[in-house]
């Protein structure tokens, strides 16, 4: 067969070449073994299949050239080499012709071989659409070779062409379907395996094994991120969420241009976020406004090997927030709260030493605590405090004097002001 333009046209010597040229796969001509009766379609299919099988090399050459002409992936020889392509085409064509002619086959079951092809192409990363297109090209080239052969047959046999075409394409469809089903199943298996590997390496980072350079390098490769970059760890509380369906902040962060990977851990979900050159406030704002769940954020760190430290600090940040509030805490903004939360006995002593009298003041307690908090946050200015509380300046001074009296600490003492500030946050972490 020779090529003219984009399509294939019959070679004048095609029928002779098919019958005599090229290496024989069997000692005797299979076409001679299956002579076709004038009106016997199956016998005609057997003779046709045997004829093509006896001179398969030119057909394989035509088919390989046609596939490469219509596919840059196959033409490149990567990931499927040209030799691999020709060997696969030969095996597939032998199976297809044996199936078409119902001839004895030395190969495995038709569907098993097709499934093997599908699994192999999935493992090689060849797109399924490209492989199916090659199968369709193979059907076209095979049918054109059959049509060439049929032109020399008697009219009674030529009238069977339509029925034979149906058999050809049914064979190609069966082969393609078996291949595609196996391809999709293998792809799912590979994706599951890759997801499991990614998850295991992520867990290794969070567990502190990233200090091993081999683990850190493998994790960077599996996760598809640089080993050295600006990262943060985020811990999101499940709170009212169903543990069987953990929250996934990844879509919201991805929409904001932030890569992330998440894993459930106990009653939380931990995530590694690649901040890169982005403003860290973007992470906080996205979690606060798009995710809406209680979350703690670690300080930024510069390499994957430090992810375990990031996890611990993010957990510290989360612990400073009240349950169910949907707040987001950056550790650097709540260091005092985290320090107090990490040492509950010290926090209790601070409260006892600096606020015990106020906490036992009965009905005065709410006004005194509120006034003290605002006064400290206002730089100990009575005027600014009065403005925020909508009261007279003298009211503020009287309340601060009362706090000093009840606690035994003078209001102008630096230690007293520091102690009061820390004790207030120990009493109410939300402050």
């Amino acid at each position: 067969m020779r090529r003219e333009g984009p399509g294939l046209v019959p070679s004048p010597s095609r029928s002779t070449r098919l019958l005599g040229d090229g290496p024989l796969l069997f000692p005797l001509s299979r076409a001679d073994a299956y002579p076709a009766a004038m009106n016997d379609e199956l016998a005609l299919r057997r003779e046709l299949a045997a004829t093509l099988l006896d001179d398969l090399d030119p057909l394989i050459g035509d088919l390989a050239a046609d596939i490469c002409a219509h596919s840059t992936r196959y033409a490149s020889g990567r990931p499927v080499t040209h030799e691999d392509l020709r060997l696969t085409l030969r095996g597939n064509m032998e199976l297809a012709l044996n199936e078409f002619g119902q001839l004895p086959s030395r190969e495995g079951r038709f569907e098993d071989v097709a499934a093997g092809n599908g699994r192999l192409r999935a493992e090689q990363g060849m797109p399924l659409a490209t492989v199916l297109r090659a199968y369709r090209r193979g059907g076209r080239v095979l049918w054109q070779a059959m049509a060439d052969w049929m032109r020399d047959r008697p009219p009674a046999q030529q009238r069977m062409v339509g029925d034979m075409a149906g058999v050809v394409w049914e064979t190609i469809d069966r082969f393609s379907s078996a291949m595609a089903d196996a391809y999709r199943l293998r792809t799912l298996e590979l994706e599951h395996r890759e997801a499991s590997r990614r998850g295991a390496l992520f867990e290794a980072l969070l567990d502190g094994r990233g200090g091993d350079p081999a683990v850190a390098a493998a994790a960077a490769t599996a996760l598809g991120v640089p080993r050295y970059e600006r990262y943060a760890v985020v811990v999101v509380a499940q709170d009212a969420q169903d543990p069987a369906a953990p929250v996934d902040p990844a879509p919201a962060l991805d929409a904001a241009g932030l890569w992330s990977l998440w894993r459930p851990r106990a009653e939380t979900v931990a995530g590694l976020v690649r901040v890169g050159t982005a403003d860290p406030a973007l992470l906080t704002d996205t979690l606060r406004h798009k995710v809406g769940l209680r979350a703690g954020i670690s300080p930024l760190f510069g390499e994957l090997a430090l992810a375990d430290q990031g996890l611990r600090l993010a957990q510290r940040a989360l612990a400073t927030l009240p349950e169910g509030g949907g707040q987001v805490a950056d550790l650097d903004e709540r260091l005092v709260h985290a320090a107090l939360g990490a040492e509950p006995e010290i926090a209790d002593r601070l409260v006892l030493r600096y606020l015990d009298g106020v906490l036992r003041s009965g009905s005065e307690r709410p006004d005194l605590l509120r006034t003290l908090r605002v006064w400290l946050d206002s730089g100990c200015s009575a005027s600014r405090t009065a403005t925020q509380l909508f009261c007279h300046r003298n009211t503020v001074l009287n309340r601060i004097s009362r706090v000093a009296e009840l606690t035994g600490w003078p209001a102008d003492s630096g230690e007293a002001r520091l102690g009061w500030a820390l004790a207030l946050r120990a009493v109410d972490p939300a402050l």
Side-chain angles (χ1 to χ4, degrees):
M1 185 176 294
R2 58 189 172 86
R3 185 179 306 279
E4 292 186 4
L8 298 175
V9 298
S11 169
S13 60
R14 180 62 175 171
S15 60
T16 302
R17 181 162 55 86
L18 286 173
L19 289 172
D21 297 342
L24 295 179
L25 300 179
F26 292 86
L28 297 177
S29 169
R30 282 171 289 192
D32 295 337
Y34 299 101
M38 189 63 65
N39 296 314
D40 188 341
E41 179 189 336
L42 177 57
L44 183 62
R45 282 162 43 192
R46 286 177 173 171
E47 182 180 354
L48 171 53
T51 300
L52 294 179
L53 284 167
D54 282 341
D55 193 26
L56 202 54
D57 284 342
L59 186 60
I60 298 303
D62 288 342
L63 178 51
D66 186 81
I67 289 174
C68 290
H70 290 85
S71 171
T72 56
R73 294 293 294 268
Y74 278 110
S76 71
R78 296 185 306 272
V80 180
T81 66
H82 293 152
E83 179 181 2
D84 180 11
L85 175 61
R86 292 180 68 91
L87 287 173
T88 302
L89 290 177
R90 172 175 285 278
N92 290 352
M93 191 63 74
E94 288 179 352
L95 276 171
L97 287 170
N98 283 322
E99 185 77 8
F100 170 78
Q102 297 185 17
L103 301 175
S105 174
R106 297 177 299 176
E107 304 294 336
R109 289 183 62 249
F110 184 77
E111 288 79 3
D112 291 343
V113 175
N117 289 342
R119 287 190 292 271
L120 176 61
R121 294 298 180 248
E123 292 167 359
Q124 292 173 324
M126 182 66 81
L128 178 58
T130 301
V131 181
L132 287 172
R133 192 177 306 116
Y135 275 77
R136 290 193 295 271
R137 302 303 307 177
R140 176 183 178 277
V141 171
L142 174 60
W143 175 244
Q144 191 162 358
M146 291 180 171
D148 291 348
W149 185 83
M150 287 294 295
R151 288 193 181 97
D152 298 330
R153 309 302 294 184
Q157 292 184 339
Q158 290 186 10
R159 286 193 288 271
M160 303 179 194
V161 166
D163 292 336
M164 292 174 63
V167 175
V168 170
W169 287 109
E170 180 182 350
T171 301
I172 299 299
D173 286 345
R174 283 178 53 209
F175 204 98
S176 299
S177 295
M179 182 280 299
D181 289 345
Y183 181 104
R184 294 187 183 99
L185 180 59
R186 184 56 178 157
T187 298
L188 290 175
E189 293 172 350
L190 294 173
E191 289 175 349
H192 178 72
R193 178 187 299 175
E194 181 61 22
S196 298
R197 182 171 181 269
R198 282 162 53 93
L201 286 168
F202 183 34
E203 288 289 344
L205 292 177
L206 296 180
D207 290 341
R209 286 175 279 162
D212 183 341
V215 173
T221 301
L223 302 182
V225 294
R227 183 174 172 183
Y228 298 96
E229 179 64 285
R230 291 206 310 168
Y231 294 99
V233 170
V234 178
V235 177
V236 178
Q238 289 285 66
D239 288 341
Q241 298 294 314
D242 181 1
V247 63
D248 183 11
L253 293 175
D254 185 63
L258 297 172
W259 174 94
S260 64
L261 180 66
W262 298 84
R263 293 280 290 183
R265 291 176 70 88
E267 297 179 353
T268 63
V269 177
L272 176 69
V273 181
R274 181 183 178 186
V275 179
T277 58
D279 185 345
L282 177 62
L283 172 58
T284 304
D285 292 343
T286 302
L287 290 171
R288 181 173 291 128
H289 301 299
K290 301 298 183 181
V291 178
L293 295 174
R294 187 165 59 103
I297 306 174
S298 76
L300 298 181
F301 51 92
E303 61 175 304
L304 288 176
L306 300 177
D308 60 320
Q309 297 180 26
L311 174 65
R312 290 194 298 272
L313 295 177
Q315 290 170 333
R316 291 279 185 90
L318 179 65
T320 68
L321 299 175
E323 292 186 10
Q327 299 180 53
V328 175
D330 186 320
L331 181 67
D332 285 343
E333 296 175 353
R334 298 184 67 82
L335 287 172
V336 171
H337 307 76
L340 293 172
E343 298 290 346
E345 293 180 353
I346 299 298
D348 290 342
R349 295 300 303 170
L350 278 169
V351 173
L352 182 64
R353 179 173 175 78
Y354 291 100
L355 282 182
D356 183 55
V358 175
L359 295 177
R360 292 188 290 105
S361 62
S363 61
E364 294 181 275
R365 170 177 168 161
D367 287 339
L368 293 179
L369 288 176
R370 184 182 180 210
T371 301
L372 179 60
R373 176 180 61 80
V374 176
W375 182 70
L376 290 169
D377 290 344
S378 301
C380 302
S381 168
S383 298
R384 288 198 294 270
T385 303
T387 299
Q388 292 190 47
L389 296 179
F390 303 102
C391 65
H392 196 277
R393 178 176 180 276
N394 288 339
T395 302
V396 173
L397 293 174
N398 290 335
R399 290 175 180 173
I400 297 301
S401 295
R402 180 63 173 153
V403 169
E405 177 186 348
L406 290 170
T407 61
W409 288 93
D412 58 356
S413 166
E415 181 182 350
R417 294 177 181 181
L418 174 61
W420 287 340
L422 292 174
L424 281 170
R425 281 157 177 78
V427 169
D428 186 357
L431 293 177

